[in-house]
Amino acid sequence: MLTTIIPPHVSPNVRLVKTFMQSVWSDMNPDLLGQFVSASFVDHAYSPADKAGHANMVKIFSGAFSQAKHIIEQCTEQDDRVVIRLRIKALHTGQFRDIAATGNTIDVTQYRTFRIVEGLIVEHWALFDTASLLRQLQPTVVVAGTCTIK
């Protein structure tokens, strides 16, 4: 669920990014990626660094988290770039990495940058607060030992 309403006066690039976030991430539909990204799309956040890598991350996230809300808290546009700050709230109902479903609610910040050319996303970067996410999924840290300086 994307909680940001897209006003009619926003630029085409901002509209593209917000619609992309709604259709692909909030609705958890990686099959729609082709409607938003160019054939030469490069993803600097996921591996492989292409449409398949991005689609795979949508599948991983949607398999691990349900009831996801991607709340766009800030959106900035400059030249061919759109940068958004998101707040992601979801319920951990499936395995994420090596962590079995906890039933915990997560509330995590993410930054995404999109470069847009001729109405399509050609590059994507993402910065996710993974440390905060892991603390919310595993609130206790097991220490395997200590470092000793001799």
Side-chain angles (χ1 to χ4, degrees), residues 20-33:
F20 167 80
M21 289 303 301
Q22 175 65 51
S23 301
V24 175
W25 282 94
S26 293
D27 295 344
M28 297 184 179
N29 195 343
D31 295 334
L32 295 180
L33 262 167

Side-chain angles (χ1 to χ4, degrees), residues 37-53:
V37 303
S38 72
S40 60
F41 173 72
V42 176
D43 198 306
H44 300 279
Y46 307 127
S47 182
D50 57 15
K51 185 170 75 170

Side-chain angles (χ1 to χ4, degrees), residues 13 77-82 114-117 122-123:
N13 287 352
E77 178 180 25
Q78 182 177 356
D79 301 324
D80 62 353
R81 312 267 169 135
V82 174
F114 302 86
R115 188 168 76 85
I116 299 161
V117 175
V122 296
E123 289 184 274

